Amino acid sequence: MGKLRLRDRVIAAIRWRGDERVLDVGCGHGLMLIGAARRLSTGKAVGIDIWQQEDQAGNSMASTQMNARIEGVEGRVELRDGDARKIPFADGTFDVVLSSWALHNIYDAPGRETALREIARILKPGGTVTSSTSAKPASTRESLPRRG
């Protein structure tokens, strides 16, 4: 229940129009991805992950697709293989970027810094980023503003 409450608070804090392109970096089973997709009418929520079992039990694209189907948002969700350190999208593609409990799975600080640079790169000017992580919070807060 705690994860759902946190997700709902984070998602509610975003000013939604309904047409956003959303990226969930390290989407796992789709908790944040599905929460965002529920806010969309014409937009699309894209989730990327490297689907490592050691980071999350049962982590797979198929289980995330099933969760999106169960939640009735399958048509607004797209899943892809993708590493936060090399996000497979062009600069300025997304209005909103979410990442929940994923960046700490990049164990080295330079790798986390690369992931934050990638998040800033694919975010549209004026876009929104939310991140929950157990990685050093100061490094996350300081990295994104430096990137504009």
Side-chain angles (χ1 to χ4, degrees), residues 23-36:
L23 179 66
D24 186 354
V25 177
C27 66
H29 289 113
L31 181 69
M32 298 299 286
L33 179 72
I34 290 166

Side-chain angles (χ1 to χ4, degrees), residues 14 16-17 27-28 30 39 52 58 63 68 75 77 86 88 98 106 108 115 118 126 130 140 143:
I14 298 169
W16 296 98
R17 296 180 315 268
C27 66
R39 298 293 185 123
Q52 290 186 148
S63 64
V77 167
K86 191 172 181 176
L98 311 167
I106 301 170
D108 62 297
E118 281 290 281
T130 69
T140 303
S143 292

Side-chain angles (χ1 to χ4, degrees), residues 8-146:
D8 292 345
R9 275 199 327 259
V10 169
I11 295 295
I14 298 169
R15 291 191 176 123
W16 296 98
R17 296 180 315 268
D19 65 345
E20 289 87 358
R21 282 206 33 97
V22 179
L23 179 66
D24 186 354
V25 177
C27 66
H29 289 113
L31 181 69
M32 298 299 286
L33 179 72
I34 290 166
R38 287 178 169 176
R39 298 293 185 123
L40 302 174
S41 51
T42 60
K44 184 67 105 176
V46 179
I48 62 169
D49 207 312
I50 56 176
W51 314 106
Q52 290 186 148
Q53 296 293 311
E54 60 270 13
D55 293 336
Q56 186 177 61
N59 194 21
S60 72
M61 190 181 292
S63 64
T64 307
Q65 287 171 327
M66 182 179 67
N67 289 340
R69 189 171 27 258
I70 290 167
E71 295 292 331
V73 296
E74 182 179 25
R76 294 185 299 263
V77 167
E78 176 184 331
L79 298 171
R80 292 194 186 183
D81 293 329
D83 188 318
R85 293 164 290 195
K86 191 172 181 176
I87 298 175
F89 295 99
D91 297 1
T93 301
F94 293 94
D95 301 288
V96 176
V97 179
L98 311 167
S99 184
S100 180
W101 301 106
L103 297 181
H104 67 276
N105 291 322
I106 301 170
Y107 301 117
D108 62 297
R112 286 190 302 274
E113 180 71 20
T114 298
L116 291 168
R117 277 196 308 273
E118 281 290 281
I119 287 170
R121 179 186 66 76
I122 55 91
L123 187 67
K124 289 181 181 177
T128 300
V129 174
T130 69
S131 176
S132 304
T133 184
S134 60
K136 225 173 166 182
S139 64
T140 303
R141 272 192 304 253
E142 292 165 5
S143 292
L144 288 173
R146 279 200 317 258

